[in-house]
Amino acid sequence: MAERRAADEPRRIVRCPGCGGDSVYALTNPYRPFCSERCRLADLGAWASEGYRVDASPSDDDPSGDEDEAASGAA
């Protein structure tokens, strides 16, 4: 029955986040949203090598913040 659902599912074409080419966003594409295993692995490698980062400043609750501030507050 799952095979029938996959066949009945509309084929939606999206932009591959890796190469920018067309990619089928459906259950029939095991690499979705990527177009191929190559694009999927390239993206995984970028995450693993910290190629993608989220900029953030330390919050007041962050224990890894500047230790000088903690020392001056304790004195």
Side-chain angles (χ1 to χ4, degrees):
M1 195 162 183
E3 292 177 18
R4 183 173 182 161
R5 285 185 196 157
D8 293 341
E9 182 180 335
R11 293 172 45 106
R12 186 170 154 202
I13 304 296
V14 297
R15 184 177 302 239
C16 173
C19 68
D22 290 343
S23 176
V24 177
Y25 193 83
L27 293 175
T28 57
N29 178 6
Y31 311 113
R32 69 181 180 275
F34 301 99
C35 64
S36 65
E37 183 178 21
R38 178 177 168 255
C39 285
R40 183 182 68 86
L41 291 176
D43 185 73
L44 178 62
W47 280 105
S49 65
E50 297 183 3
Y52 299 132
R53 297 175 183 242
V54 176
D55 291 334
S57 59
S59 66
D60 294 337
D61 298 335
D62 188 7
S64 65
D66 191 11
E67 293 180 15
D68 293 335
E69 291 177 15
S72 65

